[in-house]
Amino acid sequence: MAKKNTRSTLGSTVTTSRDPAIQAYMDAKAASSQQQTNWDVVSDISGQMLDASSRQREAVQLDEDNKRKELESYENQFSNNINKITENAGSLGEEYFGIATEEAKKMQEEYMIAVKNEDKETQQKLKMKLQGLSTGVGSLKESLNIAAELKNDEELSAGRTDQEKLISATCTDPANITYKDGEWVWNNPKYNPEDPKSKEFFTQKDLDNSLGMIESETFMKIREFENSMNAAGVNYIKGAEGASEFDAERIKVSIGDQFITQDNIMSLMHDDARGVGISGNFVGDLRGYLDSIPNMYSTFGIDVDGDGIDGNSPEDKKAIVQAIINKEDRNYNYEASKNILAEYLTMHAEEKFYGKHPSGKSLQERKALRPEPGEDEKTFIKRGGIMGELSKEGTVWNEDLMSFQNIAYDSDVAFQKWKNSKK
């Protein structure tokens, strides 16, 4: 028998008769309708979040594109300026001499007034200023010619920062030059009076400091060091007496102390330090190197995407790379960058030490190799074996017996006999 249901409608009571199956269907339909409404809300919210995220990515990309274009304009301007300096064959252009002449005229007029007033002190000061103007012209000429030589000889480092590129472009353009307080300076086109770190004028010292050179001498020392690792590794692979295995931690400290400084670290990262081509330098290899080390990104403590997890997103990883290779980045830390650069150079030193074997076996596989029955020393090494690894556990090649033997190192007689056989 159908169940009676009572419901209120606008204050009146209505009694209906409905089958339970029909009622269940209607309840389910209502629930489904409400669920669909909820999912619509969730979908709208998700869509809004995705749109906001997309807009943020687009804004970041636009900002990066604008910075790239701005940097390209600095480099193009610098190249054009250097061409003009080179065309002048070492002489300053008319723009510089025009300013110098005007300054000299002002000083001469002031000097004549001082002579008329018999003001000896002012006369002496003006003589010194005039001499300083003349000296400054010579110093300015020297700085500009050095900039031209370094640019033309391709000796400027690829590790120069955006700010340094702005300075070199600005300070080689005569349109920006002025003479202020007895010094040649250039107006900073990016000056921000609200930023206490922003400079209104660039000086000759700023120009000189912006011309970071390729660290050729240090590069040569690094390459010589890697070659020495190759020679030492050959001895270890052959099991030569006194040959030691590669001590990665000791080598890393040595590399950091010998080769890396705050002044040269950008060149070591951005230029061809190892002589393998610019595409194989530290900056070119860094992303792949970081990806090869589990959890490396999280150790930098950088989270730029706001998810509360360090180094887990493409945005975080891009920020980490910049923190390592850009000394102007707000997250840059010299010691951290030095450490990872030293690790990178150590990795290549180890590759030189053990060499790449034709068999294609990894270093771990080669270290694990042990002689097969009846195998001789030469065949073992040719297969990728490392005699130095065997000697650590007391296994050596006995030339007299033409076989591998395990020496009891606590037996002086046996050990001495083996040493004599190697001489």
Side-chain angles (χ1 to χ4, degrees):
M1 182 176 179
K3 180 181 178 182
K4 290 185 178 181
N5 295 300
T6 304
R7 60 185 176 88
S8 296
T9 304
L10 297 178
S12 63
T13 302
V14 180
T15 302
T16 62
S17 177
R18 181 173 297 162
D19 187 279
I22 296 176
Q23 182 63 41
Y25 167 76
M26 296 298 291
D27 291 344
K29 183 176 180 181
S32 175
S33 175
Q34 182 61 41
Q35 184 180 39
Q36 183 64 40
T37 302
N38 290 340
W39 277 116
D40 288 343
V41 173
V42 171
S43 178
D44 289 342
I45 293 174
S46 298
Q48 292 170 8
M49 290 176 64
L50 289 172
D51 288 343
S53 176
S54 178
R55 287 195 297 271
Q56 183 181 14
R57 284 197 299 272
E58 289 175 359
V60 170
Q61 185 62 50
L62 180 62
D63 184 54
E64 289 180 354
D65 289 343
N66 289 335
K67 287 181 178 179
R68 177 178 52 78
K69 291 177 182 177
E70 186 177 53
L71 183 58
E72 288 176 355
S73 71
Y74 298 158
E75 294 174 334
N76 292 336
Q77 183 63 54
F78 182 50
S79 295
N80 292 335
N81 296 342
I82 292 303
N83 288 337
K84 292 178 182 177
I85 293 172
T86 304
E87 289 171 4
N88 289 331
S91 299
L92 294 178
E94 293 181 2
E95 300 92 342
Y96 299 99
F97 284 111
I99 295 174
T101 301
E102 286 299 317
E103 289 295 326
K105 284 181 179 179
K106 290 178 185 177
M107 293 181 195
Q108 286 175 343
E109 291 171 359
E110 292 175 11
Y111 184 81
M112 294 307 295
I113 294 172
V115 169
K116 186 180 290 187
N117 295 333
E118 297 183 353
D119 186 347
K120 300 292 185 181
E121 183 178 350
T122 300
Q123 291 177 42
Q124 188 62 33
K125 287 181 179 179
L126 287 168
K127 283 182 181 179
M128 294 178 65
K129 283 186 177 181
L130 193 58
Q131 184 178 2
L133 176 63
S134 177
T135 303
V137 169
S139 176
L140 175 62
K141 176 181 175 182
E142 183 180 3
S143 291
L144 292 174
N145 283 324
I146 288 174
E149 288 175 11
L150 293 176
K151 172 67 174 174
N152 291 332
D153 294 342
E154 299 183 347
E155 293 182 15
L156 291 176
S157 171
R160 294 164 65 233
T161 65
D162 293 357
Q163 179 70 3
E164 289 168 343
K165 291 176 181 178
L166 166 65
I167 292 171
S168 61
T170 300
C171 296
T172 50
D173 187 349
N176 301 315
I177 194 74
T178 188
Y179 194 76
K180 182 178 176 61
D181 299 328
E183 183 181 12
W184 290 99
V185 294
W186 293 265
N187 294 294
N188 177 6
K190 302 286 288 184
Y191 172 59
N192 180 6
E194 297 180 358
D195 182 359
K197 294 182 179 180
S198 182
K199 301 177 67 172
E200 185 175 1
F201 302 100
F202 295 135
T203 65
Q204 280 184 246
K205 184 177 181 180
D206 292 327
L207 171 59
D208 293 341
N209 290 339
S210 74
L211 303 172
M213 296 174 61
I214 295 172
E215 294 287 332
S216 301
E217 291 186 11
T218 305
F219 293 177
M220 187 63 67
K221 292 177 182 178
I222 288 174
R223 294 166 193 176
E224 289 174 354
F225 180 80
E226 284 196 357
N227 288 334
S228 72
M229 289 292 101
N230 184 257
V234 168
N235 288 333
Y236 185 67
I237 289 170
K238 290 182 176 180
E241 183 182 354
S244 301
E245 66 181 312
F246 187 87
D247 187 337
E249 193 57 37
R250 182 182 63 81
I251 296 297
K252 175 184 167 183
V253 172
S254 178
I255 287 175
D257 291 344
Q258 286 188 67
F259 305 126
I260 306 174
T261 68
Q262 295 207 44
D263 291 333
N264 71 18
I265 189 169
M266 289 296 112
S267 181
L268 293 181
M269 289 181 171
H270 291 263
D271 299 320
D272 184 16
R274 299 183 50 252
V276 295
I278 199 67
S279 62
N281 66 0
F282 176 83
V283 170
D285 287 345
L286 178 58
R287 187 61 187 267
Y289 177 62
L290 292 174
D291 288 342
S292 70
I293 306 173
N295 304 319
M296 171 60 84
Y297 287 106
S298 63
T299 64
F300 289 89
I302 292 178
D303 168 29
V304 297
D305 62 356
D307 64 358
I309 304 175
D310 298 335
N312 70 315
S313 68
E315 293 80 8
D316 288 353
K317 292 178 179 180
K318 183 183 290 185
I320 288 167
V321 168
Q322 283 302 305
I324 294 171
I325 66 173
N326 182 3
K327 66 181 180 182
E328 288 179 353
D329 190 271
R330 63 187 181 88
N331 292 310
Y332 174 77
N333 178 281
Y334 167 68
E335 291 298 334
S337 294
K338 175 184 177 181
N339 182 65
I340 194 167
L341 176 59
E343 286 183 358
Y344 174 82
L345 292 174
T346 300
M347 175 189 72
H348 283 291
E350 186 173 35
E351 289 178 354
K352 284 285 187 179
F353 187 91
Y354 290 104
K356 291 184 178 180
H357 200 267
S359 66
K361 290 184 172 65
S362 68
L363 177 57
Q364 289 71 24
E365 290 174 322
R366 291 176 64 194
K367 284 185 174 182
L369 281 178
R370 293 296 177 266
E372 295 177 350
E375 190 172 35
D376 62 19
E377 181 183 33
K378 291 181 179 179
T379 305
F380 175 66
I381 293 175
K382 188 175 182 180
R383 189 162 59 87
I386 300 173
M387 294 297 297
E389 292 294 310
L390 295 184
S391 66
K392 286 194 300 184
E393 60 189 35
T395 300
V396 298
W397 172 254
N398 189 314
E399 194 69 30
D400 294 334
L401 299 177
M402 294 297 291
S403 65
F404 285 95
Q405 302 289 314
N406 188 274
I407 296 176
Y409 275 85
D410 57 349
S411 170
D412 293 338
V413 176
F415 184 59
Q416 190 60 47
K417 184 177 180 181
W418 172 75
K419 282 183 67 177
N420 291 335
S421 71
K422 301 296 290 183
K423 292 181 179 179

